[in-house]
Amino acid sequence: MEPRNHTGVPEILLLGLTDDPELQPFLFCLFLSMYLVTILGNLLIILAAISDSHLHTPMYFFLSNLSFTDICLSTTTIPKMLVNIQAQNQSITYRGCLTQVGFVLAFGGFENFLLAAMAYDRYVAICHPLRYTVIMSPQLCVLLILLSLFFSAVVALLHSLMVLRLSFCKDLEIPHFFCELAQVIKLACSETLINNILIYFVASLFGGIPLSGIIFSYTQIVSSVLRVPSAGGKLKAFSTCGSHLSVVSLFYGTVVGVYISSVVTDSPKKTAVASVMYVVVPQMMNPFIYSLRNRDMKGALRKLIYGMPSLL
Protein backbone atom coordinates (compact mmCIF):
# COMPACT_ATOMS: atom_id res chain seq x y z
CA MET A 1 0.00 0.00 0.00
CA GLU A 2 1.16 3.50 -0.75
CA PRO A 3 1.82 5.45 2.45
CA ARG A 4 0.39 8.93 2.81
CA ASN A 5 0.94 11.57 5.46
CA HIS A 6 -1.99 12.94 7.46
CA THR A 7 -2.65 15.76 5.01
CA GLY A 8 -3.46 13.23 2.31
CA VAL A 9 -5.88 11.13 4.34
CA PRO A 10 -9.39 11.91 3.05
CA GLU A 11 -11.51 9.97 5.54
CA ILE A 12 -11.65 6.98 7.87
CA LEU A 13 -14.43 4.43 8.09
CA LEU A 14 -15.90 3.57 11.49
CA LEU A 15 -17.29 0.07 11.02
CA GLY A 16 -19.35 0.24 14.21
CA LEU A 17 -20.73 -2.69 16.15
CA THR A 18 -22.39 -4.63 13.32
CA ASP A 19 -22.79 -4.73 9.55
CA ASP A 20 -26.35 -6.06 9.75
CA PRO A 21 -28.68 -3.31 8.39
CA GLU A 22 -31.64 -4.77 10.27
CA LEU A 23 -29.91 -4.11 13.59
CA GLN A 24 -29.08 -0.47 12.81
CA PRO A 25 -32.49 0.96 13.91
CA PHE A 26 -32.26 -1.01 17.16
CA LEU A 27 -28.73 0.24 17.83
CA PHE A 28 -29.80 3.80 17.04
CA CYS A 29 -32.69 3.68 19.53
CA LEU A 30 -30.55 1.90 22.15
CA PHE A 31 -27.64 4.35 22.05
CA LEU A 32 -29.93 7.37 21.75
CA SER A 33 -31.75 6.23 24.89
CA MET A 34 -28.48 5.59 26.73
CA TYR A 35 -27.16 8.99 25.68
CA LEU A 36 -30.29 10.83 26.82
CA VAL A 37 -30.28 8.98 30.15
CA THR A 38 -26.59 9.86 30.60
CA ILE A 39 -27.15 13.55 29.85
CA LEU A 40 -30.29 13.85 31.98
CA GLY A 41 -28.92 11.87 34.93
CA ASN A 42 -25.62 13.71 35.14
CA LEU A 43 -27.26 17.08 34.56
CA LEU A 44 -29.61 16.44 37.48
CA ILE A 45 -26.64 15.56 39.68
CA ILE A 46 -24.96 18.87 38.77
CA LEU A 47 -28.12 20.92 39.31
CA ALA A 48 -28.85 19.20 42.62
CA ALA A 49 -25.33 19.85 43.89
CA ILE A 50 -25.57 23.52 42.89
CA SER A 51 -29.10 24.19 44.19
CA ASP A 52 -28.82 22.49 47.61
CA SER A 53 -26.59 24.34 50.06
CA HIS A 54 -26.12 21.13 52.09
CA LEU A 55 -24.21 19.69 49.12
CA HIS A 56 -21.72 22.55 48.89
CA THR A 57 -18.91 20.30 50.13
CA PRO A 58 -15.72 18.98 48.50
CA MET A 59 -17.28 15.57 47.89
CA TYR A 60 -20.13 16.97 45.81
CA PHE A 61 -17.86 19.51 44.16
CA PHE A 62 -15.83 16.61 42.78
CA LEU A 63 -19.02 14.70 41.96
CA SER A 64 -20.33 17.64 39.92
CA ASN A 65 -17.08 17.69 37.95
CA LEU A 66 -17.34 13.93 37.45
CA SER A 67 -20.87 14.29 36.09
CA PHE A 68 -19.77 17.08 33.76
CA THR A 69 -16.90 14.88 32.52
CA ASP A 70 -19.30 11.99 31.91
CA ILE A 71 -21.50 14.26 29.80
CA CYS A 72 -18.51 15.45 27.76
CA LEU A 73 -17.09 11.94 27.26
CA SER A 74 -20.43 10.58 26.06
CA THR A 75 -20.94 13.58 23.77
CA THR A 76 -17.52 12.97 22.20
CA THR A 77 -18.46 9.50 20.94
CA ILE A 78 -22.18 8.71 20.84
CA PRO A 79 -23.61 11.58 18.69
CA LYS A 80 -21.19 10.82 15.83
CA MET A 81 -22.25 7.19 15.96
CA LEU A 82 -25.93 8.17 15.86
CA VAL A 83 -25.36 10.50 12.91
CA ASN A 84 -23.51 7.76 10.99
CA ILE A 85 -26.31 5.25 11.61
CA GLN A 86 -29.01 7.73 10.61
CA ALA A 87 -27.16 8.86 7.47
CA GLN A 88 -25.99 5.30 6.67
CA ASN A 89 -22.51 6.73 6.33
CA GLN A 90 -19.59 5.26 8.28
CA SER A 91 -17.00 7.89 7.41
CA ILE A 92 -15.25 10.40 9.63
CA THR A 93 -12.65 12.91 8.51
CA TYR A 94 -9.05 12.51 9.64
CA ARG A 95 -9.23 15.76 11.61
CA GLY A 96 -12.51 14.67 13.15
CA CYS A 97 -11.00 11.32 14.11
CA LEU A 98 -7.93 12.91 15.65
CA THR A 99 -10.13 15.39 17.53
CA GLN A 100 -12.22 12.52 18.87
CA VAL A 101 -9.07 10.68 20.00
CA GLY A 102 -7.86 13.77 21.83
CA PHE A 103 -11.13 14.46 23.64
CA VAL A 104 -11.64 10.81 24.63
CA LEU A 105 -8.15 10.75 26.12
CA ALA A 106 -8.60 14.11 27.84
CA PHE A 107 -11.97 13.38 29.43
CA GLY A 108 -11.08 9.76 30.22
CA GLY A 109 -7.88 10.89 31.91
CA PHE A 110 -9.70 13.66 33.77
CA GLU A 111 -12.18 11.13 35.13
CA ASN A 112 -9.29 8.94 36.24
CA PHE A 113 -7.71 11.80 38.21
CA LEU A 114 -11.10 12.87 39.60
CA LEU A 115 -11.71 9.43 41.08
CA ALA A 116 -8.31 9.65 42.82
CA ALA A 117 -9.18 13.11 44.20
CA MET A 118 -12.52 11.79 45.45
CA ALA A 119 -10.74 8.86 47.14
CA TYR A 120 -8.42 11.30 48.91
CA ASP A 121 -11.46 13.31 50.02
CA ARG A 122 -13.02 10.16 51.56
CA TYR A 123 -9.69 9.29 53.20
CA VAL A 124 -9.46 12.69 54.89
CA ALA A 125 -13.15 12.62 55.90
CA ILE A 126 -12.88 9.22 57.61
CA CYS A 127 -9.29 9.14 58.86
CA HIS A 128 -8.94 12.82 59.82
CA PRO A 129 -12.51 14.05 60.45
CA LEU A 130 -11.53 16.86 62.84
CA ARG A 131 -9.15 18.39 60.29
CA TYR A 132 -11.36 17.74 57.26
CA THR A 133 -12.47 21.33 56.64
CA VAL A 134 -8.92 22.59 57.10
CA ILE A 135 -7.29 20.03 54.78
CA MET A 136 -10.01 19.95 52.10
CA SER A 137 -10.13 23.71 51.67
CA PRO A 138 -11.74 25.29 48.59
CA GLN A 139 -8.27 26.25 47.37
CA LEU A 140 -7.05 22.64 47.51
CA CYS A 141 -10.18 21.36 45.75
CA VAL A 142 -9.78 23.85 42.90
CA LEU A 143 -6.06 23.06 42.70
CA LEU A 144 -6.79 19.33 42.38
CA ILE A 145 -9.26 20.01 39.58
CA LEU A 146 -6.82 22.28 37.73
CA LEU A 147 -3.97 19.78 38.07
CA SER A 148 -6.23 16.98 36.82
CA LEU A 149 -7.25 19.08 33.82
CA PHE A 150 -3.64 20.02 33.10
CA PHE A 151 -2.25 16.48 33.17
CA SER A 152 -5.21 15.13 31.17
CA ALA A 153 -4.77 17.81 28.50
CA VAL A 154 -1.00 17.19 28.33
CA VAL A 155 -1.50 13.44 27.84
CA ALA A 156 -4.16 13.98 25.15
CA LEU A 157 -2.05 16.56 23.34
CA LEU A 158 1.07 14.39 23.51
CA HIS A 159 -0.67 11.37 21.99
CA SER A 160 -2.36 13.50 19.33
CA LEU A 161 0.95 15.08 18.28
CA MET A 162 2.57 11.64 18.11
CA VAL A 163 -0.21 10.43 15.79
CA LEU A 164 0.40 13.43 13.50
CA ARG A 165 3.89 12.13 12.69
CA LEU A 166 2.52 8.85 11.29
CA SER A 167 1.87 8.04 7.64
CA PHE A 168 -1.27 6.15 6.70
CA CYS A 169 -2.25 3.77 3.91
CA LYS A 170 -5.43 3.32 1.90
CA ASP A 171 -8.50 1.40 3.06
CA LEU A 172 -8.57 3.05 6.46
CA GLU A 173 -11.12 1.14 8.53
CA ILE A 174 -11.55 1.13 12.31
CA PRO A 175 -13.63 -1.78 13.71
CA HIS A 176 -15.10 0.48 16.41
CA PHE A 177 -17.89 3.03 16.70
CA PHE A 178 -15.39 5.75 17.64
CA CYS A 179 -11.75 6.60 16.98
CA GLU A 180 -9.72 4.82 19.62
CA LEU A 181 -6.03 5.67 19.87
CA ALA A 182 -4.76 2.10 19.59
CA GLN A 183 -6.95 1.42 16.54
CA VAL A 184 -5.80 4.61 14.79
CA ILE A 185 -2.15 3.66 15.34
CA LYS A 186 -2.79 0.23 13.80
CA LEU A 187 -3.76 1.96 10.55
CA ALA A 188 -0.32 3.51 10.14
CA CYS A 189 2.14 2.30 7.51
CA SER A 190 5.10 3.96 9.23
CA GLU A 191 6.93 2.78 12.34
CA THR A 192 4.70 2.89 15.44
CA LEU A 193 7.10 1.56 18.08
CA ILE A 194 7.48 4.95 19.76
CA ASN A 195 3.69 5.44 19.82
CA ASN A 196 3.13 2.03 21.42
CA ILE A 197 5.87 2.59 23.99
CA LEU A 198 4.33 5.97 24.81
CA ILE A 199 0.90 4.40 25.32
CA TYR A 200 2.23 1.89 27.86
CA PHE A 201 4.44 4.44 29.58
CA VAL A 202 1.69 7.05 29.95
CA ALA A 203 -0.87 4.43 31.01
CA SER A 204 1.52 3.09 33.64
CA LEU A 205 2.41 6.55 34.95
CA PHE A 206 -0.82 8.53 34.76
CA GLY A 207 -3.03 5.49 35.27
CA GLY A 208 -0.91 3.77 37.89
CA ILE A 209 -0.36 6.78 40.16
CA PRO A 210 -4.09 7.65 40.59
CA LEU A 211 -4.97 3.97 41.02
CA SER A 212 -2.21 3.60 43.62
CA GLY A 213 -3.58 6.65 45.40
CA ILE A 214 -7.06 5.14 45.44
CA ILE A 215 -5.76 1.82 46.78
CA PHE A 216 -3.72 3.58 49.47
CA SER A 217 -6.70 5.73 50.49
CA TYR A 218 -9.00 2.77 50.88
CA THR A 219 -6.36 0.75 52.70
CA GLN A 220 -6.14 3.53 55.26
CA ILE A 221 -9.93 3.86 55.36
CA VAL A 222 -10.43 0.15 56.04
CA SER A 223 -7.72 0.20 58.70
CA SER A 224 -9.31 3.21 60.39
CA VAL A 225 -12.86 1.84 60.23
CA LEU A 226 -11.86 -1.51 61.71
CA ARG A 227 -10.68 0.32 64.81
CA VAL A 228 -14.18 1.73 65.38
CA PRO A 229 -15.68 -0.24 68.28
CA SER A 230 -19.38 -0.18 67.32
CA ALA A 231 -20.87 -1.99 64.35
CA GLY A 232 -23.10 0.99 63.64
CA GLY A 233 -20.11 3.30 63.47
CA LYS A 234 -18.36 0.98 61.03
CA LEU A 235 -21.45 0.78 58.82
CA LYS A 236 -21.86 4.56 58.81
CA ALA A 237 -18.20 5.07 57.88
CA PHE A 238 -18.33 2.56 55.04
CA SER A 239 -21.62 3.99 53.74
CA THR A 240 -19.99 7.38 53.14
CA CYS A 241 -17.61 5.90 50.57
CA GLY A 242 -19.77 3.08 49.17
CA SER A 243 -20.94 5.08 46.14
CA HIS A 244 -17.44 6.18 45.23
CA LEU A 245 -16.08 2.65 45.60
CA SER A 246 -18.83 1.38 43.29
CA VAL A 247 -17.96 4.01 40.65
CA VAL A 248 -14.24 3.20 40.94
CA SER A 249 -14.94 -0.51 40.54
CA LEU A 250 -17.12 0.14 37.50
CA PHE A 251 -14.57 2.46 35.84
CA TYR A 252 -11.44 0.39 36.35
CA GLY A 253 -13.28 -2.92 36.02
CA THR A 254 -14.58 -2.06 32.55
CA VAL A 255 -11.17 -0.72 31.43
CA VAL A 256 -9.42 -3.91 32.56
CA GLY A 257 -12.20 -6.00 31.02
CA VAL A 258 -11.78 -4.31 27.63
CA TYR A 259 -8.00 -4.77 27.77
CA ILE A 260 -8.34 -8.48 28.58
CA SER A 261 -10.96 -8.85 25.84
CA SER A 262 -8.62 -7.31 23.26
CA VAL A 263 -5.84 -9.69 24.31
CA VAL A 264 -7.76 -12.97 24.42
CA THR A 265 -9.97 -12.48 21.36
CA ASP A 266 -9.07 -11.96 17.71
CA SER A 267 -12.53 -10.65 16.83
CA PRO A 268 -12.57 -6.87 16.27
CA LYS A 269 -16.36 -6.84 16.68
CA LYS A 270 -16.16 -8.39 20.14
CA THR A 271 -13.54 -5.81 21.12
CA ALA A 272 -15.80 -3.05 19.80
CA VAL A 273 -18.72 -4.34 21.85
CA ALA A 274 -16.47 -4.55 24.91
CA SER A 275 -15.36 -0.94 24.39
CA VAL A 276 -18.98 0.14 24.96
CA MET A 277 -18.50 -0.99 28.54
CA TYR A 278 -16.00 1.74 29.37
CA VAL A 279 -17.07 4.53 27.01
CA VAL A 280 -20.84 4.40 27.49
CA VAL A 281 -21.95 2.28 30.45
CA PRO A 282 -20.03 3.88 33.38
CA GLN A 283 -21.11 7.38 32.33
CA MET A 284 -24.74 6.27 32.31
CA MET A 285 -24.57 4.32 35.58
CA ASN A 286 -22.74 6.88 37.74
CA PRO A 287 -25.81 9.07 38.42
CA PHE A 288 -27.83 6.01 39.44
CA ILE A 289 -25.09 4.82 41.79
CA TYR A 290 -24.82 8.17 43.55
CA SER A 291 -28.55 8.88 43.66
CA LEU A 292 -29.61 5.44 44.87
CA ARG A 293 -26.87 4.95 47.48
CA ASN A 294 -26.65 8.49 48.83
CA ARG A 295 -29.38 9.83 51.11
CA ASP A 296 -28.30 13.48 50.80
CA MET A 297 -28.27 13.30 47.00
CA LYS A 298 -31.67 11.62 46.91
CA GLY A 299 -33.08 14.39 49.08
CA ALA A 300 -31.54 17.11 46.90
CA LEU A 301 -32.83 15.47 43.72
CA ARG A 302 -36.30 15.18 45.23
CA LYS A 303 -36.31 18.89 46.10
CA LEU A 304 -35.01 19.79 42.65
CA ILE A 305 -37.56 17.70 40.74
CA TYR A 306 -40.53 18.76 42.89
CA GLY A 307 -39.43 22.39 42.67
CA MET A 308 -39.22 22.43 38.87
CA PRO A 309 -42.98 22.99 38.22
CA SER A 310 -42.90 26.17 40.32
CA LEU A 311 -40.04 27.51 38.20
CA LEU A 312 -41.85 26.93 34.90
Side-chain angles (χ1 to χ4, degrees):
M1 293 184 182
E2 179 186 355
R4 294 176 292 177
N5 59 25
H6 61 88
T7 57
V9 179
E11 61 182 23
I12 298 172
L13 295 182
L14 297 174
L15 301 183
L17 300 177
T18 180
D19 296 327
D20 190 348
E22 296 182 357
L23 288 177
Q24 298 300 324
F26 169 74
L27 288 177
F28 180 85
C29 294
L30 175 64
F31 278 87
L32 178 60
S33 301
M34 295 173 73
Y35 179 65
L36 293 177
V37 169
T38 300
I39 298 298
L40 180 61
N42 284 289
L43 190 59
L44 284 174
I45 293 290
I46 295 172
L47 293 176
I50 293 175
S51 62
D52 195 326
S53 59
H54 295 93
L55 302 185
H56 292 175
T57 63
M59 174 183 173
Y60 294 103
F61 173 71
F62 291 130
L63 178 58
S64 299
N65 281 274
L66 181 67
S67 294
F68 175 75
T69 306
D70 287 339
I71 290 174
C72 294
L73 186 56
S74 298
T75 303
T76 302
T77 56
I78 299 180
K80 178 58 180 175
M81 177 190 183
L82 297 176
V83 169
N84 284 1
I85 292 176
Q86 187 68 21
Q88 297 182 350
N89 181 11
Q90 298 175 315
S91 66
I92 184 174
T93 64
Y94 175 79
R95 290 183 178 180
C97 185
L98 192 60
T99 301
Q100 196 174 65
V101 168
F103 278 118
V104 168
L105 289 173
F107 292 126
F110 186 44
E111 183 158 345
N112 181 40
F113 286 115
L114 270 177
L115 292 176
M118 295 172 77
Y120 177 70
D121 171 74
R122 293 297 84 204
Y123 158 72
V124 175
I126 293 175
C127 299
H128 305 283
L130 299 179
R131 300 175 56 199
Y132 178 75
T133 55
V134 176
I135 296 175
M136 298 303 298
S137 63
Q139 293 82 1
L140 178 62
C141 293
V142 172
L143 178 62
L144 290 174
I145 293 296
L146 292 178
L147 287 176
S148 299
L149 279 172
F150 174 75
F151 286 121
S152 302
V154 167
V155 169
L157 183 61
L158 182 61
H159 280 302
S160 299
L161 291 176
M162 290 300 293
V163 171
L164 283 174
R165 56 179 284 274
L166 299 177
S167 297
F168 295 88
C169 304
K170 296 180 180 178
D171 303 324
L172 303 178
E173 297 179 348
I174 295 179
H176 274 56
F177 65 94
F178 71 100
C179 288
E180 190 181 47
L181 176 63
Q183 296 296 326
V184 174
I185 292 176
K186 287 180 180 179
L187 299 177
C189 292
S190 55
E191 180 59 51
T192 60
L193 178 61
I194 297 178
N195 294 78
N196 290 320
I197 291 176
L198 183 64
I199 288 177
Y200 287 107
F201 174 76
V202 170
S204 301
L205 183 63
F206 292 102
I209 291 177
L211 181 58
S212 299
I214 293 172
I215 294 173
F216 171 79
S217 296
Y218 275 101
T219 301
Q220 296 299 309
I221 287 172
V222 171
S223 176
S224 178
V225 170
L226 290 179
R227 291 196 295 267
V228 176
S230 66
K234 292 179 181 178
L235 182 62
K236 183 179 179 181
F238 277 126
S239 66
T240 62
C241 54
S243 298
H244 176 258
L245 192 58
S246 300
V247 171
V248 168
S249 302
L250 182 62
F251 180 79
Y252 287 104
T254 52
V255 170
V256 172
V258 170
Y259 176 76
I260 294 175
S261 174
S262 64
V263 171
V264 301
T265 181
D266 295 328
S267 172
K269 292 298 181 184
K270 291 182 179 180
T271 305
V273 172
S275 67
V276 175
M277 294 302 296
Y278 81 91
V279 175
V280 179
V281 175
Q283 290 70 36
M284 181 183 69
M285 294 302 299
N286 287 351
F288 291 100
I289 293 173
Y290 271 98
S291 60
L292 294 177
R293 296 179 60 91
N294 189 298
R295 183 180 303 173
D296 293 334
M297 180 56 68
K298 282 194 290 187
L301 287 172
R302 194 177 297 112
K303 291 179 183 177
L304 178 66
I305 294 173
Y306 290 157
M308 280 184 177
S310 61
L311 299 176
L312 298 178

